[in-house]
Amino acid sequence: MLLGPPGAGKGTQAERLAQDADVPVYAMGDILRQAVRDDTPVGREARRFMEAGELVPDQVVLDVITDALSSPAAAPGFVLDGFPRTVVQAEGLAGWLEERQLELDAVVYFEVPEDELLRRLSGRRICTGCGAVYNVYNRPPAEDGVCDLCGGSLVTREDDEEETVRNRLRVYHQSTEPLLVWYEGSATPLRQLDAVGEVDEVYRRLLRVVGCS
Ligand code: AP5
């Protein structure tokens, strides 16, 4: 389970870890954005919270994630990105896992200073076609504004506008940071990851932290 502030690189590393471990990744932000695009009941409920940089209500995300984790695809294991994000969500996940006699292998906290988070979020561009993630500062596409993979156009994510980012960081400090203490006292203690540096280097550190290298 990958935990950390907005822009810490959780999504980037989760994709890679899941690919190498050959398990699915459940990225709550991606699941919710898809629900908004599909205009499902969950998407209609989530939209206004996401646009404001607020958290979607706990019960909504708990229903979404337990549904996803109950699918056969999750049976071999999974990577969680961006869930849980509140103590209520962590308690809900712990209860769900306990009922099934499952445990998290590792909870990893991505540490990145705030000025670097702001830089990463202001530079992030997303492909409207395939969802690939770029960064104008350190992961630019070959051609400006065009996805290397599918040729789709690259845009700034709506919630990466400066004012919304500041609110997401405020919400992170208020609602998600308490999880650092919560996990310290849990059966799966928190492992700290220095998430500043080249993506490849951070990935090598992540593998060490989760005991895979
Ligand atoms: P979500 O999409 O999960 O947003 P987030 O947690 O704010 O995380 P980000 O996607 O912004 O950052 P990231 O850490 O994944 O970084 P990334 O790898 O993309 O959630 C969006 C919204 O959905 C929330 O605000 C909320 O409304 C709702 N939501 C989601 N989960 C919820 C929950 N559990 N409960 C309630 N509501 C929920 O990298 C960022 C940029 O940096 C990219 O451009 C990348 O290329 C670049 N980068 C990555 N690694 C590096 C590196 N090592 N060096 C330099 N640049 C890097």
mmCIF file of all heavy atoms in Angstrom, residues 4-12 28-30 32-33 49-50 53-56 61 81-85 89 116 120-121 123-125 133-135 138-139 157 159-160 168 195 197-199 202, ligand 1:
data_model
loop_
_atom_site.group_PDB
_atom_site.id
_atom_site.type_symbol
_atom_site.label_atom_id
_atom_site.label_comp_id
_atom_site.label_asym_id
_atom_site.label_seq_id
_atom_site.Cartn_x
_atom_site.Cartn_y
_atom_site.Cartn_z
ATOM 1 N N GLY A 4 1.101 8.748 0.658
ATOM 2 C CA GLY A 4 1.939 9.944 0.578
ATOM 3 C C GLY A 4 1.149 11.109 0.026
ATOM 4 O O GLY A 4 0.019 10.946 -0.452
ATOM 5 N N PRO A 5 1.734 12.290 0.059
ATOM 6 C CA PRO A 5 1.032 13.494 -0.387
ATOM 7 C C PRO A 5 0.802 13.509 -1.900
ATOM 8 O O PRO A 5 1.427 12.736 -2.635
ATOM 9 C CB PRO A 5 1.977 14.628 0.030
ATOM 10 C CG PRO A 5 3.309 13.999 0.167
ATOM 11 C CD PRO A 5 3.093 12.573 0.538
ATOM 12 N N PRO A 6 -0.081 14.391 -2.367
ATOM 13 C CA PRO A 6 -0.313 14.540 -3.812
ATOM 14 C C PRO A 6 0.999 14.856 -4.521
ATOM 15 O O PRO A 6 1.768 15.693 -4.052
ATOM 16 C CB PRO A 6 -1.255 15.742 -3.923
ATOM 17 C CG PRO A 6 -1.738 16.052 -2.563
ATOM 18 C CD PRO A 6 -0.876 15.340 -1.581
ATOM 19 N N GLY A 7 1.256 14.170 -5.619
ATOM 20 C CA GLY A 7 2.452 14.451 -6.406
ATOM 21 C C GLY A 7 3.709 13.759 -5.918
ATOM 22 O O GLY A 7 4.797 13.976 -6.453
ATOM 23 N N ALA A 8 3.581 12.864 -4.927
ATOM 24 C CA ALA A 8 4.776 12.224 -4.363
ATOM 25 C C ALA A 8 5.357 11.160 -5.293
ATOM 26 O O ALA A 8 6.465 10.677 -5.056
ATOM 27 C CB ALA A 8 4.441 11.613 -3.008
ATOM 28 N N GLY A 9 4.584 10.776 -6.329
ATOM 29 C CA GLY A 9 5.093 9.753 -7.259
ATOM 30 C C GLY A 9 4.492 8.378 -7.003
ATOM 31 O O GLY A 9 4.981 7.377 -7.540
ATOM 32 N N LYS A 10 3.429 8.318 -6.222
ATOM 33 C CA LYS A 10 2.806 7.019 -5.891
ATOM 34 C C LYS A 10 2.320 6.318 -7.163
ATOM 35 O O LYS A 10 2.581 5.135 -7.363
ATOM 36 C CB LYS A 10 1.594 7.214 -4.949
ATOM 37 C CG LYS A 10 1.918 7.987 -3.681
ATOM 38 C CD LYS A 10 0.689 8.172 -2.815
ATOM 39 C CE LYS A 10 -0.437 8.993 -3.438
ATOM 40 N NZ LYS A 10 -0.114 10.422 -3.647
ATOM 41 N N GLY A 11 1.596 7.070 -8.021
ATOM 42 C CA GLY A 11 1.047 6.467 -9.231
ATOM 43 C C GLY A 11 2.140 5.941 -10.142
ATOM 44 O O GLY A 11 2.050 4.832 -10.680
ATOM 45 N N THR A 12 3.200 6.740 -10.304
ATOM 46 C CA THR A 12 4.321 6.357 -11.175
ATOM 47 C C THR A 12 4.941 5.038 -10.696
ATOM 48 O O THR A 12 5.174 4.120 -11.477
ATOM 49 C CB THR A 12 5.385 7.482 -11.149
ATOM 50 O OG1 THR A 12 4.773 8.696 -11.574
ATOM 51 C CG2 THR A 12 6.573 7.162 -12.028
ATOM 52 N N MET A 28 -7.055 4.752 -6.438
ATOM 53 C CA MET A 28 -8.383 5.293 -6.163
ATOM 54 C C MET A 28 -8.695 6.515 -7.018
ATOM 55 O O MET A 28 -9.814 6.660 -7.510
ATOM 56 C CB MET A 28 -8.496 5.615 -4.667
ATOM 57 C CG MET A 28 -9.859 6.084 -4.260
ATOM 58 S SD MET A 28 -11.214 4.990 -4.785
ATOM 59 C CE MET A 28 -11.017 3.652 -3.646
ATOM 60 N N GLY A 29 -7.715 7.404 -7.212
ATOM 61 C CA GLY A 29 -7.966 8.595 -8.032
ATOM 62 C C GLY A 29 -8.354 8.215 -9.453
ATOM 63 O O GLY A 29 -9.292 8.771 -10.027
ATOM 64 N N ASP A 30 -7.644 7.224 -10.032
ATOM 65 C CA ASP A 30 -7.947 6.798 -11.410
ATOM 66 C C ASP A 30 -9.337 6.169 -11.482
ATOM 67 O O ASP A 30 -10.088 6.399 -12.432
ATOM 68 C CB ASP A 30 -6.909 5.761 -11.894
ATOM 69 C CG ASP A 30 -5.552 6.389 -12.124
ATOM 70 O OD1 ASP A 30 -5.473 7.634 -12.190
ATOM 71 O OD2 ASP A 30 -4.562 5.642 -12.231
ATOM 72 N N LEU A 32 -11.875 6.757 -9.566
ATOM 73 C CA LEU A 32 -12.912 7.795 -9.419
ATOM 74 C C LEU A 32 -13.007 8.656 -10.679
ATOM 75 O O LEU A 32 -14.100 9.012 -11.116
ATOM 76 C CB LEU A 32 -12.619 8.662 -8.187
ATOM 77 C CG LEU A 32 -12.761 7.950 -6.832
ATOM 78 C CD1 LEU A 32 -12.234 8.838 -5.701
ATOM 79 C CD2 LEU A 32 -14.206 7.553 -6.560
ATOM 80 N N ARG A 33 -11.836 8.985 -11.276
ATOM 81 C CA ARG A 33 -11.871 9.804 -12.510
ATOM 82 C C ARG A 33 -12.610 9.049 -13.625
ATOM 83 O O ARG A 33 -13.372 9.627 -14.381
ATOM 84 C CB ARG A 33 -10.446 10.180 -12.958
ATOM 85 C CG ARG A 33 -9.928 11.455 -12.285
ATOM 86 C CD ARG A 33 -8.583 11.885 -12.839
ATOM 87 N NE ARG A 33 -7.530 10.962 -12.471
ATOM 88 C CZ ARG A 33 -6.909 10.954 -11.291
ATOM 89 N NH1 ARG A 33 -7.214 11.852 -10.373
ATOM 90 N NH2 ARG A 33 -5.968 10.067 -11.010
ATOM 91 N N PHE A 49 -16.418 16.814 -5.114
ATOM 92 C CA PHE A 49 -15.344 16.735 -4.119
ATOM 93 C C PHE A 49 -13.991 16.788 -4.827
ATOM 94 O O PHE A 49 -13.076 17.490 -4.405
ATOM 95 C CB PHE A 49 -15.452 15.436 -3.311
ATOM 96 C CG PHE A 49 -16.691 15.363 -2.469
ATOM 97 C CD1 PHE A 49 -17.798 14.641 -2.889
ATOM 98 C CD2 PHE A 49 -16.768 16.049 -1.267
ATOM 99 C CE1 PHE A 49 -18.956 14.584 -2.130
ATOM 100 C CE2 PHE A 49 -17.922 15.996 -0.489
ATOM 101 C CZ PHE A 49 -19.020 15.260 -0.930
ATOM 102 N N MET A 50 -13.873 16.052 -5.913
ATOM 103 C CA MET A 50 -12.588 15.989 -6.627
ATOM 104 C C MET A 50 -12.234 17.342 -7.233
ATOM 105 O O MET A 50 -11.086 17.776 -7.177
ATOM 106 C CB MET A 50 -12.644 14.912 -7.706
ATOM 107 C CG MET A 50 -12.838 13.538 -7.099
ATOM 108 S SD MET A 50 -13.020 12.266 -8.318
ATOM 109 C CE MET A 50 -11.329 12.040 -8.852
ATOM 110 N N GLY A 53 -10.738 19.474 -4.726
ATOM 111 C CA GLY A 53 -9.559 18.967 -4.024
ATOM 112 C C GLY A 53 -9.893 18.426 -2.651
ATOM 113 O O GLY A 53 -9.023 18.285 -1.789
ATOM 114 N N GLU A 54 -11.169 18.101 -2.441
ATOM 115 C CA GLU A 54 -11.592 17.520 -1.158
ATOM 116 C C GLU A 54 -11.645 16.000 -1.296
ATOM 117 O O GLU A 54 -11.691 15.472 -2.410
ATOM 118 C CB GLU A 54 -13.003 18.016 -0.788
ATOM 119 C CG GLU A 54 -13.129 19.510 -0.584
ATOM 120 C CD GLU A 54 -12.475 19.989 0.703
ATOM 121 O OE1 GLU A 54 -12.317 19.184 1.632
ATOM 122 O OE2 GLU A 54 -12.113 21.180 0.757
ATOM 123 N N LEU A 55 -11.702 15.303 -0.158
ATOM 124 C CA LEU A 55 -11.829 13.849 -0.222
ATOM 125 C C LEU A 55 -13.278 13.455 -0.487
ATOM 126 O O LEU A 55 -14.212 14.070 0.044
ATOM 127 C CB LEU A 55 -11.360 13.213 1.098
ATOM 128 C CG LEU A 55 -9.873 13.349 1.407
ATOM 129 C CD1 LEU A 55 -9.541 12.660 2.731
ATOM 130 C CD2 LEU A 55 -9.012 12.780 0.284
ATOM 131 N N VAL A 56 -13.429 12.423 -1.285
ATOM 132 C CA VAL A 56 -14.747 11.834 -1.532
ATOM 133 C C VAL A 56 -15.149 11.121 -0.223
ATOM 134 O O VAL A 56 -14.278 10.583 0.472
ATOM 135 C CB VAL A 56 -14.630 10.858 -2.734
ATOM 136 C CG1 VAL A 56 -15.914 10.099 -2.971
ATOM 137 C CG2 VAL A 56 -14.198 11.638 -3.980
ATOM 138 N N VAL A 61 -15.827 5.572 -1.088
ATOM 139 C CA VAL A 61 -14.577 4.933 -1.541
ATOM 140 C C VAL A 61 -14.434 3.528 -0.950
ATOM 141 O O VAL A 61 -13.907 2.628 -1.603
ATOM 142 C CB VAL A 61 -13.308 5.778 -1.235
ATOM 143 C CG1 VAL A 61 -13.250 7.005 -2.085
ATOM 144 C CG2 VAL A 61 -13.174 6.136 0.196
ATOM 145 N N ASP A 81 -2.934 2.265 -4.367
ATOM 146 C CA ASP A 81 -2.365 3.611 -4.530
ATOM 147 C C ASP A 81 -3.449 4.634 -4.188
ATOM 148 O O ASP A 81 -4.482 4.687 -4.862
ATOM 149 C CB ASP A 81 -1.892 3.758 -5.986
ATOM 150 C CG ASP A 81 -1.681 5.205 -6.415
ATOM 151 O OD1 ASP A 81 -1.580 6.097 -5.542
ATOM 152 O OD2 ASP A 81 -1.633 5.442 -7.638
ATOM 153 N N GLY A 82 -3.210 5.416 -3.137
ATOM 154 C CA GLY A 82 -4.169 6.486 -2.802
ATOM 155 C C GLY A 82 -5.358 6.016 -1.995
ATOM 156 O O GLY A 82 -6.327 6.738 -1.848
ATOM 157 N N PHE A 83 -5.301 4.839 -1.467
ATOM 158 C CA PHE A 83 -6.303 4.326 -0.542
ATOM 159 C C PHE A 83 -5.583 3.450 0.467
ATOM 160 O O PHE A 83 -4.771 2.632 0.041
ATOM 161 C CB PHE A 83 -7.381 3.506 -1.275
ATOM 162 C CG PHE A 83 -8.335 2.860 -0.295
ATOM 163 C CD1 PHE A 83 -9.451 3.540 0.136
ATOM 164 C CD2 PHE A 83 -8.070 1.599 0.234
ATOM 165 C CE1 PHE A 83 -10.304 2.963 1.075
ATOM 166 C CE2 PHE A 83 -8.915 1.029 1.166
ATOM 167 C CZ PHE A 83 -10.026 1.712 1.587
ATOM 168 N N PRO A 84 -5.866 3.528 1.743
ATOM 169 C CA PRO A 84 -6.762 4.474 2.406
ATOM 170 C C PRO A 84 -6.147 5.859 2.557
ATOM 171 O O PRO A 84 -4.934 6.019 2.461
ATOM 172 C CB PRO A 84 -6.981 3.830 3.783
ATOM 173 C CG PRO A 84 -5.755 3.008 4.020
ATOM 174 C CD PRO A 84 -5.269 2.560 2.679
ATOM 175 N N ARG A 85 -7.002 6.837 2.829
ATOM 176 C CA ARG A 85 -6.557 8.217 2.973
ATOM 177 C C ARG A 85 -7.091 8.871 4.241
ATOM 178 O O ARG A 85 -6.840 10.048 4.479
ATOM 179 C CB ARG A 85 -7.083 9.023 1.803
ATOM 180 C CG ARG A 85 -5.979 9.567 0.932
ATOM 181 C CD ARG A 85 -6.637 10.286 -0.186
ATOM 182 N NE ARG A 85 -6.256 9.654 -1.396
ATOM 183 C CZ ARG A 85 -5.680 10.291 -2.401
ATOM 184 N NH1 ARG A 85 -5.473 11.572 -2.357
ATOM 185 N NH2 ARG A 85 -5.336 9.645 -3.476
ATOM 186 N N GLN A 89 -11.080 5.035 6.648
ATOM 187 C CA GLN A 89 -10.823 4.134 5.512
ATOM 188 C C GLN A 89 -9.844 3.021 5.912
ATOM 189 O O GLN A 89 -9.998 1.868 5.517
ATOM 190 C CB GLN A 89 -10.268 4.910 4.323
ATOM 191 C CG GLN A 89 -11.274 5.868 3.692
ATOM 192 C CD GLN A 89 -10.679 6.688 2.559
ATOM 193 O OE1 GLN A 89 -9.654 6.331 1.970
ATOM 194 N NE2 GLN A 89 -11.319 7.799 2.239
ATOM 195 N N GLU A 116 9.005 20.524 -3.822
ATOM 196 C CA GLU A 116 9.147 19.545 -4.915
ATOM 197 C C GLU A 116 7.767 19.016 -5.350
ATOM 198 O O GLU A 116 7.519 18.809 -6.539
ATOM 199 C CB GLU A 116 10.078 18.406 -4.462
ATOM 200 C CG GLU A 116 10.195 17.217 -5.410
ATOM 201 C CD GLU A 116 10.879 17.520 -6.751
ATOM 202 O OE1 GLU A 116 11.399 18.640 -6.947
ATOM 203 O OE2 GLU A 116 10.862 16.609 -7.619
ATOM 204 N N ARG A 120 6.324 19.209 -9.151
ATOM 205 C CA ARG A 120 5.881 18.021 -9.891
ATOM 206 C C ARG A 120 4.441 18.182 -10.374
ATOM 207 O O ARG A 120 4.105 17.817 -11.499
ATOM 208 C CB ARG A 120 5.969 16.774 -8.998
ATOM 209 C CG ARG A 120 7.389 16.334 -8.734
ATOM 210 C CD ARG A 120 7.389 15.042 -7.958
ATOM 211 N NE ARG A 120 8.737 14.679 -7.537
ATOM 212 C CZ ARG A 120 9.036 13.580 -6.862
ATOM 213 N NH1 ARG A 120 8.080 12.733 -6.520
ATOM 214 N NH2 ARG A 120 10.274 13.320 -6.518
ATOM 215 N N LEU A 121 3.577 18.724 -9.510
ATOM 216 C CA LEU A 121 2.157 18.827 -9.884
ATOM 217 C C LEU A 121 1.941 19.893 -10.947
ATOM 218 O O LEU A 121 1.129 19.726 -11.858
ATOM 219 C CB LEU A 121 1.300 19.106 -8.639
ATOM 220 C CG LEU A 121 1.226 17.921 -7.663
ATOM 221 C CD1 LEU A 121 0.545 18.334 -6.361
ATOM 222 C CD2 LEU A 121 0.502 16.737 -8.277
ATOM 223 N N GLY A 123 4.008 20.622 -13.215
ATOM 224 C CA GLY A 123 4.596 20.151 -14.475
ATOM 225 C C GLY A 123 3.908 18.922 -15.044
ATOM 226 O O GLY A 123 4.222 18.482 -16.145
ATOM 227 N N ARG A 124 2.982 18.337 -14.290
ATOM 228 C CA ARG A 124 2.365 17.076 -14.754
ATOM 229 C C ARG A 124 1.427 17.317 -15.935
ATOM 230 O O ARG A 124 0.653 18.271 -15.951
ATOM 231 C CB ARG A 124 1.587 16.425 -13.609
ATOM 232 C CG ARG A 124 0.852 15.171 -14.072
ATOM 233 C CD ARG A 124 0.411 14.279 -12.944
ATOM 234 N NE ARG A 124 -0.450 14.936 -11.989
ATOM 235 C CZ ARG A 124 -0.862 14.378 -10.861
ATOM 236 N NH1 ARG A 124 -0.464 13.160 -10.554
ATOM 237 N NH2 ARG A 124 -1.645 15.044 -10.044
ATOM 238 N N ARG A 125 1.491 16.444 -16.932
ATOM 239 C CA ARG A 125 0.562 16.462 -18.057
ATOM 240 C C ARG A 125 0.063 15.031 -18.249
ATOM 241 O O ARG A 125 0.829 14.076 -18.117
ATOM 242 C CB ARG A 125 1.256 16.923 -19.360
ATOM 243 C CG ARG A 125 1.851 18.325 -19.298
ATOM 244 C CD ARG A 125 0.799 19.441 -19.210
ATOM 245 N NE ARG A 125 1.426 20.758 -19.151
ATOM 246 C CZ ARG A 125 1.771 21.380 -18.029
ATOM 247 N NH1 ARG A 125 1.576 20.810 -16.840
ATOM 248 N NH2 ARG A 125 2.340 22.573 -18.067
ATOM 249 N N VAL A 133 1.233 9.401 -18.031
ATOM 250 C CA VAL A 133 1.591 10.583 -17.240
ATOM 251 C C VAL A 133 2.967 11.090 -17.664
ATOM 252 O O VAL A 133 3.927 10.311 -17.742
ATOM 253 C CB VAL A 133 1.614 10.229 -15.732
ATOM 254 C CG1 VAL A 133 2.017 11.445 -14.901
ATOM 255 C CG2 VAL A 133 0.256 9.707 -15.284
ATOM 256 N N TYR A 134 3.067 12.393 -17.931
ATOM 257 C CA TYR A 134 4.336 13.035 -18.311
ATOM 258 C C TYR A 134 4.629 14.155 -17.329
ATOM 259 O O TYR A 134 3.802 14.511 -16.482
ATOM 260 C CB TYR A 134 4.231 13.620 -19.730
ATOM 261 C CG TYR A 134 4.048 12.562 -20.779
ATOM 262 C CD1 TYR A 134 2.774 12.074 -21.083
ATOM 263 C CD2 TYR A 134 5.133 12.034 -21.460
ATOM 264 C CE1 TYR A 134 2.596 11.088 -22.042
ATOM 265 C CE2 TYR A 134 4.968 11.055 -22.423
ATOM 266 C CZ TYR A 134 3.698 10.594 -22.708
ATOM 267 O OH TYR A 134 3.535 9.610 -23.654
ATOM 268 N N ASN A 135 5.813 14.731 -17.486
ATOM 269 C CA ASN A 135 6.127 15.915 -16.698
ATOM 270 C C ASN A 135 7.001 16.834 -17.540
ATOM 271 O O ASN A 135 8.016 16.376 -18.088
ATOM 272 C CB ASN A 135 6.841 15.532 -15.390
ATOM 273 C CG ASN A 135 6.761 16.666 -14.398
ATOM 274 O OD1 ASN A 135 7.422 17.680 -14.563
ATOM 275 N ND2 ASN A 135 5.914 16.512 -13.384
ATOM 276 N N ASN A 138 10.744 16.851 -16.079
ATOM 277 C CA ASN A 138 11.672 15.720 -16.060
ATOM 278 C C ASN A 138 11.211 14.494 -16.840
ATOM 279 O O ASN A 138 11.912 13.493 -16.880
ATOM 280 C CB ASN A 138 11.970 15.304 -14.614
ATOM 281 C CG ASN A 138 10.691 15.121 -13.829
ATOM 282 O OD1 ASN A 138 9.760 14.522 -14.338
ATOM 283 N ND2 ASN A 138 10.632 15.652 -12.630
ATOM 284 N N ARG A 139 9.994 14.545 -17.423
ATOM 285 C CA ARG A 139 9.557 13.405 -18.229
ATOM 286 C C ARG A 139 8.765 13.938 -19.402
ATOM 287 O O ARG A 139 7.577 13.641 -19.560
ATOM 288 C CB ARG A 139 8.671 12.531 -17.343
ATOM 289 C CG ARG A 139 8.790 11.069 -17.625
ATOM 290 C CD ARG A 139 7.871 10.320 -16.682
ATOM 291 N NE ARG A 139 7.983 8.916 -16.862
ATOM 292 C CZ ARG A 139 7.215 8.039 -16.247
ATOM 293 N NH1 ARG A 139 6.293 8.435 -15.401
ATOM 294 N NH2 ARG A 139 7.362 6.764 -16.464
ATOM 295 N N ARG A 157 -4.102 18.130 -15.467
ATOM 296 C CA ARG A 157 -5.265 17.565 -14.749
ATOM 297 C C ARG A 157 -6.016 18.705 -14.078
ATOM 298 O O ARG A 157 -5.381 19.605 -13.530
ATOM 299 C CB ARG A 157 -4.755 16.571 -13.696
ATOM 300 C CG ARG A 157 -5.560 15.306 -13.623
ATOM 301 C CD ARG A 157 -4.869 14.272 -12.780
ATOM 302 N NE ARG A 157 -5.087 14.470 -11.364
ATOM 303 C CZ ARG A 157 -4.618 13.666 -10.427
ATOM 304 N NH1 ARG A 157 -3.892 12.623 -10.750
ATOM 305 N NH2 ARG A 157 -4.860 13.904 -9.154
ATOM 306 N N ASP A 159 -7.503 19.084 -11.309
ATOM 307 C CA ASP A 159 -7.205 19.377 -9.898
ATOM 308 C C ASP A 159 -5.731 19.707 -9.678
ATOM 309 O O ASP A 159 -5.286 19.813 -8.539
ATOM 310 C CB ASP A 159 -7.688 18.258 -8.980
ATOM 311 C CG ASP A 159 -7.010 16.925 -9.242
ATOM 312 O OD1 ASP A 159 -6.296 16.801 -10.264
ATOM 313 O OD2 ASP A 159 -7.189 16.003 -8.432
ATOM 314 N N ASP A 160 -4.959 19.893 -10.758
ATOM 315 C CA ASP A 160 -3.571 20.352 -10.614
ATOM 316 C C ASP A 160 -3.457 21.876 -10.740
ATOM 317 O O ASP A 160 -2.345 22.422 -10.739
ATOM 318 C CB ASP A 160 -2.651 19.686 -11.649
ATOM 319 C CG ASP A 160 -2.261 18.262 -11.238
ATOM 320 O OD1 ASP A 160 -2.489 17.894 -10.069
ATOM 321 O OD2 ASP A 160 -1.720 17.527 -12.087
ATOM 322 N N ARG A 168 -5.620 20.435 -1.789
ATOM 323 C CA ARG A 168 -5.315 19.001 -1.657
ATOM 324 C C ARG A 168 -4.220 18.779 -0.617
ATOM 325 O O ARG A 168 -4.272 17.818 0.149
ATOM 326 C CB ARG A 168 -4.877 18.435 -3.018
ATOM 327 C CG ARG A 168 -6.056 18.245 -3.965
ATOM 328 C CD ARG A 168 -5.597 18.088 -5.396
ATOM 329 N NE ARG A 168 -4.786 16.914 -5.631
ATOM 330 C CZ ARG A 168 -3.957 16.778 -6.666
ATOM 331 N NH1 ARG A 168 -3.822 17.747 -7.553
ATOM 332 N NH2 ARG A 168 -3.258 15.678 -6.813
ATOM 333 N N ALA A 195 11.508 9.620 -1.515
ATOM 334 C CA ALA A 195 10.975 9.570 -2.882
ATOM 335 C C ALA A 195 11.468 10.733 -3.732
ATOM 336 O O ALA A 195 10.858 11.065 -4.753
ATOM 337 C CB ALA A 195 9.453 9.515 -2.844
ATOM 338 N N GLY A 197 14.406 12.067 -6.226
ATOM 339 C CA GLY A 197 15.485 11.536 -7.065
ATOM 340 C C GLY A 197 14.886 11.027 -8.359
ATOM 341 O O GLY A 197 13.674 11.119 -8.584
ATOM 342 N N GLU A 198 15.751 10.484 -9.202
ATOM 343 C CA GLU A 198 15.295 9.929 -10.487
ATOM 344 C C GLU A 198 14.270 8.830 -10.247
ATOM 345 O O GLU A 198 14.389 8.081 -9.260
ATOM 346 C CB GLU A 198 16.487 9.302 -11.233
ATOM 347 C CG GLU A 198 17.539 10.291 -11.701
ATOM 348 C CD GLU A 198 17.001 11.155 -12.821
ATOM 349 O OE1 GLU A 198 16.312 10.602 -13.697
ATOM 350 O OE2 GLU A 198 17.269 12.366 -12.797
ATOM 351 N N VAL A 199 13.300 8.703 -11.165
ATOM 352 C CA VAL A 199 12.243 7.693 -11.019
ATOM 353 C C VAL A 199 12.849 6.292 -10.843
ATOM 354 O O VAL A 199 12.419 5.522 -9.978
ATOM 355 C CB VAL A 199 11.290 7.741 -12.239
ATOM 356 C CG1 VAL A 199 10.329 6.568 -12.234
ATOM 357 C CG2 VAL A 199 10.511 9.053 -12.252
ATOM 358 N N VAL A 202 14.340 5.933 -7.346
ATOM 359 C CA VAL A 202 13.283 5.802 -6.328
ATOM 360 C C VAL A 202 12.697 4.386 -6.384
ATOM 361 O O VAL A 202 12.422 3.773 -5.351
ATOM 362 C CB VAL A 202 12.182 6.880 -6.525
ATOM 363 C CG1 VAL A 202 11.010 6.643 -5.585
ATOM 364 C CG2 VAL A 202 12.759 8.277 -6.321
HETATM 365 P P1 AP5 B 1 -5.301 10.986 -6.800
HETATM 366 O O1 AP5 B 1 -5.382 10.880 -8.258
HETATM 367 O O2 AP5 B 1 -4.955 9.774 -6.011
HETATM 368 O O3 AP5 B 1 -4.326 12.192 -6.461
HETATM 369 P P2 AP5 B 1 -3.166 12.333 -5.363
HETATM 370 O O4 AP5 B 1 -3.048 11.409 -4.237
HETATM 371 O O5 AP5 B 1 -3.326 13.732 -5.021
HETATM 372 O O6 AP5 B 1 -1.956 11.845 -6.098
HETATM 373 P P3 AP5 B 1 -1.425 12.349 -7.449
HETATM 374 O O7 AP5 B 1 -2.018 11.518 -8.557
HETATM 375 O O8 AP5 B 1 -1.570 13.833 -7.569
HETATM 376 O O9 AP5 B 1 0.133 12.090 -7.285
HETATM 377 P P4 AP5 B 1 1.004 10.775 -7.251
HETATM 378 O O10 AP5 B 1 1.608 10.624 -5.902
HETATM 379 O O11 AP5 B 1 0.265 9.569 -7.811
HETATM 380 O O12 AP5 B 1 2.155 11.222 -8.224
HETATM 381 P P5 AP5 B 1 2.436 10.864 -9.778
HETATM 382 O O13 AP5 B 1 3.084 9.517 -9.854
HETATM 383 O O14 AP5 B 1 1.248 11.109 -10.638
HETATM 384 O O15 AP5 B 1 -6.683 11.554 -6.188
HETATM 385 C C1 AP5 B 1 -7.369 12.610 -6.828
HETATM 386 C C2 AP5 B 1 -8.632 12.942 -6.036
HETATM 387 O O16 AP5 B 1 -9.495 11.798 -5.956
HETATM 388 C C3 AP5 B 1 -8.415 13.351 -4.570
HETATM 389 O O17 AP5 B 1 -8.082 14.728 -4.457
HETATM 390 C C4 AP5 B 1 -9.793 13.025 -3.990
HETATM 391 O O18 AP5 B 1 -10.759 13.997 -4.336
HETATM 392 C C5 AP5 B 1 -10.154 11.734 -4.690
HETATM 393 N N1 AP5 B 1 -9.670 10.553 -3.953
HETATM 394 C C6 AP5 B 1 -8.687 9.704 -4.344
HETATM 395 N N2 AP5 B 1 -8.501 8.737 -3.411
HETATM 396 C C7 AP5 B 1 -9.373 8.997 -2.413
HETATM 397 C C8 AP5 B 1 -9.639 8.382 -1.166
HETATM 398 N N3 AP5 B 1 -8.978 7.267 -0.749
HETATM 399 N N4 AP5 B 1 -10.585 8.931 -0.366
HETATM 400 C C9 AP5 B 1 -11.288 10.003 -0.768
HETATM 401 N N5 AP5 B 1 -11.078 10.651 -1.928
HETATM 402 C C10 AP5 B 1 -10.134 10.150 -2.752
HETATM 403 O O19 AP5 B 1 3.577 11.953 -10.075
HETATM 404 C C11 AP5 B 1 3.261 13.332 -10.098
HETATM 405 C C12 AP5 B 1 4.143 14.018 -11.160
HETATM 406 O O20 AP5 B 1 5.511 13.921 -10.748
HETATM 407 C C13 AP5 B 1 4.068 13.353 -12.554
HETATM 408 O O21 AP5 B 1 4.181 14.346 -13.545
HETATM 409 C C14 AP5 B 1 5.298 12.425 -12.580
HETATM 410 O O22 AP5 B 1 5.782 12.243 -13.914
HETATM 411 C C15 AP5 B 1 6.279 13.210 -11.715
HETATM 412 N N6 AP5 B 1 7.193 12.324 -10.966
HETATM 413 C C16 AP5 B 1 6.935 11.089 -10.443
HETATM 414 N N7 AP5 B 1 8.027 10.605 -9.819
HETATM 415 C C17 AP5 B 1 8.989 11.570 -9.929
HETATM 416 C C18 AP5 B 1 10.351 11.661 -9.462
HETATM 417 N N8 AP5 B 1 10.959 10.678 -8.793
HETATM 418 N N9 AP5 B 1 11.031 12.815 -9.739
HETATM 419 C C19 AP5 B 1 10.436 13.838 -10.432
HETATM 420 N N10 AP5 B 1 9.176 13.781 -10.910
HETATM 421 C C20 AP5 B 1 8.453 12.666 -10.650
#
